[in-house]
């Protein structure tokens, strides 16, 4: 189709920038299949960050592949944690640490998950 597409790591909602060969760029909400304008972005930001949040054009920049992977893994980690799936949550932490070595919050979470798993296993025996 002559389109190029790139992920945009907008806060609270992933978007896709789609550009045609003529140089025009559009923002698309891939979850709803709709075009997104600045007003829509402001509403998305308000829902995720509160009414005091303001759009910064840096929020609409194309995300690098590593940033997209980190975001996906953090979403998966959160989903597994919500279901108390400790092993899967820990696996997400381990993969995140491959992408962002030494990240303090991931190191903390990994240690807490390892401790919780040891406790759970000790109760089973």
């Amino acid at each position: 189709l002559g389109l190029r597409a790139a992920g945009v790591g907008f806060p609270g909602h992933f978007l896709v920038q789609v550009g045609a060969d003529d140089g025009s760029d559009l923002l698309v909400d891939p979850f709803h299949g709709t075009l997104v304008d600045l007003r829509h972005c402001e509403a998305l930001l308000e829902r995720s960050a509160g009414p005091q949040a303001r759009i910064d054009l840096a929020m609409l920049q194309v995300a690098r592949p590593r940033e997209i992977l980190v975001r996906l893994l953090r979403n998966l980690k959160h989903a597994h944690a919500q279901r108390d799936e400790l092993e899967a949550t820990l696996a997400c932490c381990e993969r995140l640490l491959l992408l962002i070595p030494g990240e303090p919050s991931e190191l903390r979470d990994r240690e807490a998950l390892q401790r919780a798993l040891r406790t759970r296993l000790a109760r089973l025996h």
Side-chain angles (χ1 to χ4, degrees):
L1 295 174
L3 297 175
R4 51 186 162 68
V8 175
F10 191 76
H13 198 81
F14 194 78
L15 301 171
V16 176
Q17 182 186 77
V18 179
D21 285 337
D22 68 3
S24 61
D25 288 331
L26 301 170
L27 276 179
V28 177
D29 179 338
F31 303 99
H32 299 103
T34 56
L35 293 178
V36 177
D37 61 13
L38 195 55
R39 277 195 347 255
H40 190 107
C41 288
E42 289 170 343
L44 288 171
L45 184 61
E46 184 175 320
R47 272 185 261 157
S48 68
Q52 74 288 355
R54 298 290 175 251
I55 291 269
D56 177 345
L57 292 181
M59 295 174 181
L60 299 172
Q61 294 298 310
V62 169
R64 295 185 306 257
R66 182 179 301 260
E67 294 168 332
I68 293 171
L69 287 173
V70 167
R71 185 175 180 138
L72 284 169
L73 281 168
R74 283 188 169 149
N75 287 345
L76 279 173
K77 178 183 157 192
H78 178 73
H80 288 305
Q82 290 291 335
R83 291 191 296 273
D84 198 35
E85 298 168 348
L86 297 182
E87 294 89 352
T89 307
L90 177 58
C92 289
C93 273
E94 295 290 357
R95 285 167 179 82
L96 281 160
L97 285 165
L98 291 173
L99 293 168
I100 44 176
E103 174 66 30
S105 63
E106 295 306 329
L107 291 169
R108 178 203 62 218
D109 289 354
R110 180 178 65 179
E111 176 60 32
L113 286 161
Q114 289 171 337
R115 196 173 331 115
L117 278 167
R118 284 191 301 271
T119 301
R120 187 176 282 181
L121 285 173
R123 286 184 192 148
L124 293 175
H125 291 90

